[in-house]
Amino acid sequence: LKRKLSPWCKEVKKTLIDRDMSVTELCGEVGMCRNYVTTTINGRMYAPALAEKISKASPNAVCVLFSNYPYTIHTIQNRLPAILWDATGSQDMGTAMAKTLYGQNAPAGRLNMTWYNSDDDLPDIDDYDIVRHRRIYRYFDKEVLYPFGYGLTYTEFAYSNLSVQMADPCHIEISFDVKNIGECVSDEVVQIYASAPKSRVPKPRRQLLAFERLYDILPQETRHVTKRVNARFCETYDNMEERHD
């Protein structure tokens, strides 16, 4: 590992110092253009050591992570001040990332998968009993690296005035206010989850019911959001009683 890593480290260090650059791509996927199966979420073995050396050369370095799967990136998270993640496959991916880094667009994406802390948190790759093994965000009950739906923006938002009521016998109406309390114009993705901790039948710890992306919210601007959700989205089929609960 050390013999393979040294040329990388020397080149990265020289680039960061001589060119005053503070962005580097640490991780990606090998063989993403062909089908393959992996049994670990540890990612590339050299990434943690490379992150440590980069952080020493440039403490303000930012990690740009292109991947289609979650990884255990604890060292990168602990050593570098920011991580900007994107999935691969878009036609103009590099330009979009560059514009995001330079503040020409507002990142507001949310993770569509749970990022687990360790391989030990996952059952066998061929076992799909998500309830018994507490799999995916709906049932997983341990600490995670990043939860499903996680994501940050270049500003901060405050939520208030939550109201939940039955709009009619078949629909739940949820309304609230979203205020941009930061200094940047930004998008925000609002998400609505439900849970039933006292249910007689096993139900998800939390379940995504609805989401919406709000565009170009100005600093100190407040948007009122109203979402109507089909009440059946909260139901679970009871095999013993042969009915929805």
Side-chain angles (χ1 to χ4, degrees), residues 20-87:
D20 194 27
M21 295 176 64
S22 58
V23 178
T24 185
E25 188 268 343
L26 283 183
C27 297
E29 278 148 11
V30 178
M32 63 184 178
C33 294
R34 60 182 183 271
N35 294 326
Y36 72 101
V37 176
T38 179
T39 58
T40 180
I41 57 175
N42 289 330
R44 290 182 175 179
M45 61 184 301
Y46 62 75
L50 185 57
E52 290 190 15
K53 291 184 177 293
I54 289 175
S55 67
K56 293 177 181 178
S58 178
N60 293 323
V62 173
C63 173
V64 174
L65 174 58
F66 291 101
S67 77
N68 296 315
Y69 312 99
Y71 290 111
T72 53
I73 54 173
H74 299 83
T75 302
I76 297 173
Q77 175 185 263
N78 295 333
R79 291 289 186 178
L80 301 180
I83 300 170
L84 187 58
W85 175 84
D86 189 18

Side-chain angles (χ1 to χ4, degrees), residues 181-212:
I181 59 175
E183 300 178 353
C184 301
V185 179
S186 179
D187 298 356
E188 171 68 340
V189 177
V190 298
Q191 303 172 76
I192 298 172
Y193 292 86
S195 62
K198 296 182 180 180
S199 174
R200 184 179 62 83
V201 297
K203 285 191 174 184
R205 298 179 66 251
R206 65 174 188 145
Q207 177 179 339
L208 181 65
L209 299 181
F211 65 92
E212 180 180 350

Side-chain angles (χ1 to χ4, degrees), residues 144-209:
V144 299
L145 184 61
Y146 299 112
F148 172 89
Y150 179 80
L152 301 176
T153 67
Y154 285 154
T155 186
E156 293 184 75
F157 291 93
Y159 289 67
S160 61
N161 301 323
L162 175 65
S163 173
V164 181
Q165 59 185 353
M166 295 300 298
D168 56 56
C170 298
H171 295 89
I172 306 169
E173 187 174 273
I174 303 103
S175 62
F176 50 91
D177 292 333
V178 181
K179 182 178 181 179
N180 184 346
I181 59 175
E183 300 178 353
C184 301
V185 179
S186 179
D187 298 356
E188 171 68 340
V189 177
V190 298
Q191 303 172 76
I192 298 172
Y193 292 86
S195 62
K198 296 182 180 180
S199 174
R200 184 179 62 83
V201 297
K203 285 191 174 184
R205 298 179 66 251
R206 65 174 188 145
Q207 177 179 339
L208 181 65
L209 299 181

